[in-house]
Amino acid sequence: MTQIPEGTSLLDRIEGVRTRIREAAQRSSRSPDEITLVAVSKTHPIKAIQDALAAGLTDFGENRVQEAETKIPIVGREIAKWHLIGHLQSNKGRRAVELFDVIHSLDSASLAHRLDRMCEEINRASLPVLIQVDLGHETTKTGVAEGELPEVVTTVQGCERLQLIGLMTLPPFFDEADRVRPYFRRLRELRDELRTSGAFGDRRGELSMGMTHDFEIAIEEGATIVRVGTAIFGERG
Ligand SMILES: *Cc1c(COP(=O)(O)O)cnc(C)c1O
């Protein structure tokens, strides 16, 4: 299942992912420059992140606050941009607001209120967030159901310190990656509707979708942020 040949170097793998991003963008008449590669470093050691930084990557994704706490302060806040991509437990909100630049996994109105309050407490003026939408209705995954999206959007807009920058999804896994396409397409439609209604202000409205298995399909469907772990860092232990 993995597409990583044995023995390739980190540099080769990053270059490989970049090439695939560029080709997928070209196939869909898009500019590769409008796509941000978030390197998902969860479970991988600090050294791997530092090597990836040295290789020119700038954005990193972690899914657990507890793990991120042991890595982000050491790697540094200034030289990298940190994305929280996993479900945020209620007791970790404050730490998340202290550590992360962007939160992709906003999945409830109550979490929005909590994060807004934490920003106020630590004097953070603004926190960019993406709402995670659950399009697959999988009980194992978190996210806002489509029907509840308008309400959560309104809530975020009412939070003084939260800045709604886009939508994120984690679709079901299919062996045949192309079956995921309708989910990506749906997220784009939702983003387009929100953009038309002004939910993102004058911003474009990010689409955070696509992982190792399916990031090229996500790009063809409009992804502006892809979250890639395995294809960069190798299999997680
Ligand atoms: C782990 C993870 C990824 C990266 O997955 P890979 O298949 O290793 O590329 C992307 N998004 C989320 C939310 C994740 O938890």
Side-chain angles (χ1 to χ4, degrees), residues 48-232:
I49 301 174
Q50 290 168 331
D51 289 347
L53 266 169
L57 293 185
T58 52
D59 289 72
F60 295 88
E62 289 282 337
N63 69 333
R64 289 173 57 236
V65 173
Q66 209 170 335
E67 180 182 343
E69 261 183 327
T70 68
K71 296 159 113 176
I72 295 178
I74 294 169
V75 179
R77 287 294 302 279
E78 290 74 27
I79 52 168
K81 191 166 170 180
W82 297 94
H83 302 251
L84 178 66
I85 60 170
H87 174 65
L88 186 52
Q89 290 174 309
S90 50
N91 59 342
K92 297 282 197 298
R94 186 193 178 93
R95 203 65 189 113
V97 167
E98 286 170 342
L99 286 166
F100 287 93
D101 295 290
V102 187
I103 292 182
H104 290 232
S105 43
L106 185 87
D107 56 10
S108 70
S110 62
L111 178 59
H113 286 304
R114 211 174 327 119
L115 292 175
D116 196 38
R117 205 164 50 238
M118 292 304 161
C119 285
E120 202 177 326
E121 274 185 34
I122 70 160
N123 262 322
R124 178 167 179 169
S126 135
L127 174 66
V129 298
L130 294 88
I131 297 175
Q132 181 174 353
V133 186
D134 172 24
L135 297 171
H137 310 295
E138 290 175 286
T139 49
T140 52
K141 286 182 187 159
T142 55
V144 176
E146 248 189 80
E148 292 158 17
L149 185 56
E151 182 202 320
V152 178
V153 168
T154 305
T155 301
V156 175
Q157 286 171 326
C159 290
E160 198 186 330
R161 295 172 189 242
L162 303 189
Q163 191 184 20
L164 182 62
I165 64 161
L167 302 178
M168 180 270 227
T169 198
L170 189 60
F173 180 88
F174 299 104
D175 281 328
E176 198 185 324
D178 208 57
R179 287 181 60 198
V180 84
R181 198 179 285 277
Y183 295 89
F184 292 152
R185 196 167 291 166
R186 183 65 193 139
L187 197 72
R188 183 186 59 200
E189 288 168 359
L190 292 170
R191 189 276 317 264
D192 290 349
E193 286 166 22
L194 286 173
R195 183 159 64 187
T196 303
S197 71
F200 306 116
D202 54 8
R203 293 177 295 271
R204 62 181 178 176
E206 305 289 338
L207 279 174
S208 169
M209 57 190 198
M211 310 168 34
T212 290
H213 185 61
D214 53 19
F215 70 86
E216 287 147 300
I217 297 166
I219 290 169
E220 289 169 12
E221 295 301 330
T224 64
I225 304 175
V226 291
R227 311 177 309 264
V228 180
T230 310
I232 293 173

